């Protein structure tokens, strides 16, 4: 009897481990996960589940998409479902709640496919998860609130699904969360208070409404912010303190008011504010540090389809791709813009559908072949022949504005 009691711990340990060395619990969970999913093209030699042979001597080394801990019983630490290859249509089926039995899991990834149904609420029990990436599928329902209790969560990417509901306010409590990508869903409601150390936020192409969080509640660490294609409104003054931004996309919303001068800086090299209700002028470069607005290769600024007014300043000269069309700009285009175009530094400059009166080109100087310049429908005859301009179809066929429009507009602006 005493010998049996001494051997009991060993018996219990062996009962928890199959001959493959992997935990019985994890192996059972993997079997349930496989039963709930299938390769869309299961006959393909590149089908994902081809390697999931549950009689294999070591699933940890033979199963595609998993890695395990080193010690026996081996535990699954990362699970990647699907190949992610461009020629693979991915997986179909649903996500099994059995994923929650993989209690040592740190990364959960689902590649592009047609997986449907809700995200299992039980995922919130996986306290070691640092990455959840379930993108480009057909997941439905709301985002489980349990996800926003995961203390080690660093990256949450649920983009390109059919998720509904709101973003839980408890997201603000996740101090480890750095990357949130929820774009291209059907998420509604307002943007909640965000984690203070967030670096990357993409909420584009949803059904969000309301204003951006107040200035005091915006993470000062943000480097990437995209909320394009929503129903957001209000002023942009809340962005003045975000000095770390390098990418900003607020396009296709209902934002109004002036653009903060602090957003016109070369470190914010990608700025998309088109199709809003913005007013005011493009500010002058700061006298204290004019180099702060010297844009370089790869820079893009899109302010088109707003109600911006006044004469252009030198602030945006040198931007490689610059869209200022469909506003109410007047006067002469500064020579710095013209020189940047003819030197090839600015490769795209759209100024059509404004009230500009002059684009001071040098006679006989050819436009570089690599440049797309559009000056149509302004208060001038374009100095560059129409055949040499690269206007989009949306610019229309009229070369200049009617004289009465220009005189009436200039009178109203005087």
């Amino acid at each position: 009897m005493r010998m049996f009691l001494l051997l009991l711990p060993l018996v219990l340990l062996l009962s928890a481990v199959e001959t493959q060395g992997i935990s019985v619990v994890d192996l059972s969970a993997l079997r349930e996960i496989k039963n709930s999913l299938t390769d869309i093209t299961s006959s393909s030699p590149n089908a994902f589940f081809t390697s999931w042979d549950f009689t294999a001597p070591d699933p940890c080394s033979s199963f595609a998409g998993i890695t395990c801990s080193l010690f026996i019983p081996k535990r699954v630490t990362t699970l990647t479902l699907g190949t992610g290859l461009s020629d693979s249509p991915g997986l179909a089926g649903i996500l099994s709640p059995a994923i929650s039995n993989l209690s040592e899991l740190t990364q959960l990834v689902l590649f592009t496919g047609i997986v449907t149904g809700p995200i299992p609420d039980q995922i919130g029990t996986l306290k070691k998860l640092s990455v959840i990436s379930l993108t480009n599928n057909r997941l439905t329902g709301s985002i489980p609130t349990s996800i926003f209790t995961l203390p080690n969560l660093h990256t949450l990417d649920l983009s390109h699904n059919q998720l509904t509901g709101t973003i839980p306010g408890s997201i603000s409590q996740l101090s480890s969360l750095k990357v949130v990508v929820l774009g291209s869903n059907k998420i509604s409601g307002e943007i909640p208070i965000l984690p203070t150390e967030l670096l990357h936020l993409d909420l584009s192409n949803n059904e969000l409404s309301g204003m951006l969080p107040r200035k005091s509640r915006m993470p000062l660490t943000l480097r990437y912010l995209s909320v394009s294609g929503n129903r957001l409104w209000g002023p942009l003054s809340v962005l003045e303190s975000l000095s770390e931004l390098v990418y900003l996309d607020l396009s296709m919303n209902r934002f109004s008011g002036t653009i903060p001068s602090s957003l016109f800086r070369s470190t914010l090299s990608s700025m998309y504010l088109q199709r809003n209700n913005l007013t005011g002028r493009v500010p002058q470069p700061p006298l204290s540090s004019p180099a702060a607005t010297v844009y370089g290769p790869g820079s893009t600024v899109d302010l088109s389809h707003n109600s911006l007014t006044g004469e252009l300043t030198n602030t945006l000269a040198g931007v490689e791709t610059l869209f200022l069309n469909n506003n109410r700009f007047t006067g002469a285009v500064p020579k710095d813009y013209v020189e940047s175009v003819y030197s090839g530094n600015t490769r795209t400059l759209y100024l059509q559908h404004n009230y500009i009166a002059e684009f001071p080109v040098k006679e006989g100087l050819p436009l570089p072949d690599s440049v797309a310049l559009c000056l149509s429908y302004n208060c001038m005859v374009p100095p560059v022949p129409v055949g040499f301009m690269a206007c989009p179809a949306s610019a229309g066929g009229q070369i200049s504005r009617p004289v009465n429009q220009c005189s009436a507009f200039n009178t109203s602006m005087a």
Side-chain angles (χ1 to χ4, degrees):
M1 182 67 179
R2 183 178 181 184
M3 180 62 69
F4 174 79
L5 292 175
L6 290 173
L7 293 174
L8 183 58
L10 179 60
V11 172
L12 291 175
L13 175 62
L14 291 175
S15 67
V17 182
E18 287 200 352
T19 56
Q20 296 104 320
I22 189 173
S23 161
V24 169
V25 174
D26 285 14
L27 193 64
S28 176
L30 293 174
R31 185 176 281 109
E32 290 189 49
I33 291 166
K34 182 179 184 296
N35 289 339
S36 69
L37 296 168
T38 184
D39 284 283
I40 296 173
T41 54
S42 56
S43 59
S44 169
N46 296 324
F48 175 73
F49 283 119
T50 300
S51 65
W52 283 41
D53 178 4
F54 286 88
T55 64
D58 184 10
C60 285
S61 61
S62 62
F63 279 27
I66 73 167
T67 57
C68 300
S69 59
L70 297 176
F71 302 105
I72 294 179
K74 295 179 181 178
R75 304 299 308 278
V76 177
T77 56
T78 71
L79 175 62
T80 301
L81 297 168
T83 65
L85 299 175
S86 58
D87 61 347
S88 171
L91 305 176
I94 62 170
L95 290 176
S96 171
I99 291 174
S100 64
N101 293 330
L102 303 174
S103 58
E104 295 296 308
L105 204 62
T106 62
Q107 295 185 32
L108 173 61
V109 176
L110 172 65
F111 280 125
T112 300
I114 54 173
V115 177
T116 60
I119 300 171
D121 186 67
Q122 294 88 337
I123 286 179
T125 64
L126 299 173
K127 300 304 181 184
K128 295 186 178 182
L129 269 181
S130 63
V131 175
I132 299 176
S133 178
L134 313 173
T135 66
N136 289 282
N137 278 274
R138 299 178 185 177
L139 298 172
T140 57
S142 58
I143 304 172
T145 56
S146 61
I147 286 179
F148 298 98
T149 65
L150 296 172
N152 297 302
L153 191 61
H154 176 282
T155 299
L156 177 64
D157 188 350
L158 306 176
S159 59
H160 295 275
N161 282 289
Q162 299 171 14
L163 299 172
T164 55
T166 61
I167 304 172
S170 52
I171 189 175
S172 63
Q173 305 302 314
L174 297 183
S175 58
S176 297
L177 193 58
K178 300 294 187 293
V179 178
V180 174
V181 185
L182 304 178
S184 299
N185 281 287
K186 300 177 182 178
I187 299 169
S188 57
E190 297 188 359
I191 300 174
I193 301 174
L194 300 165
T196 57
E197 300 296 320
L198 199 63
L199 300 175
H200 184 116
L201 178 65
D202 186 347
L203 304 176
S204 59
N205 300 311
N206 277 286
E207 299 173 5
L208 296 167
S209 57
M211 302 173 68
L212 293 172
R214 294 201 305 270
K215 187 183 302 186
S216 60
R217 296 182 175 181
M218 290 290 283
L220 300 180
T221 51
L222 267 180
R223 294 177 57 81
Y224 183 109
L225 173 61
S226 177
V227 294
S228 65
N230 282 284
R231 302 168 187 168
L232 299 168
W233 55 275
L236 303 186
S237 54
V238 296
L239 303 175
E240 289 178 327
S241 58
L242 302 185
S243 59
E244 299 298 314
L245 276 178
V246 298
Y247 184 100
L248 175 65
D249 190 350
L250 309 181
S251 61
M252 294 180 287
N253 279 284
R254 302 170 187 173
F255 293 113
S256 58
T258 59
I259 304 172
S261 58
S262 61
L263 296 182
F264 293 96
R265 61 179 190 273
S266 58
T267 54
L268 180 51
S269 57
S270 297
M271 181 166 67
Y272 302 88
L273 304 181
Q274 70 269 26
R275 297 186 184 275
N276 280 286
N277 300 315
L278 300 172
T279 55
R281 300 169 178 254
V282 174
Q284 291 283 355
L287 294 176
S288 57
S289 55
T293 58
V294 178
Y295 293 85
S299 55
T300 300
V301 174
D302 192 340
L303 306 181
S304 64
H305 295 274
N306 282 288
S307 297
L308 301 174
T309 56
E311 296 189 7
L312 287 174
T313 66
N314 290 328
T315 300
L316 297 172
V319 173
E320 184 174 291
T321 304
L322 181 58
F323 301 100
L324 300 174
N325 53 288
N326 295 82
N327 280 286
R328 299 179 181 179
F329 292 119
T330 58
V333 175
K335 290 183 179 180
D336 286 356
Y337 288 83
V338 180
E339 291 175 0
S340 186
V341 166
Y342 277 85
S343 67
N345 292 329
T346 294
R347 299 172 68 87
T348 300
L349 178 58
Y350 279 7
L351 291 169
Q352 69 271 20
H353 286 258
N354 280 286
Y355 294 82
I356 292 169
E358 183 182 359
F359 189 83
V361 300
K362 294 180 180 179
E363 291 294 333
L365 190 63
L367 194 67
D369 293 337
S370 61
V371 167
L373 173 66
C374 186
L375 302 172
S376 64
Y377 210 67
N378 277 285
C379 295
M380 63 176 178
V381 176
V384 178
V386 174
F388 289 91
M389 290 197 297
C391 293
S394 59
Q398 289 183 277
I399 298 174
S400 304
R401 279 187 182 275
V403 174
N404 62 331
Q405 285 189 15
C406 294
S407 57
F409 183 80
N410 290 330
T411 300
S412 66
M413 296 299 292

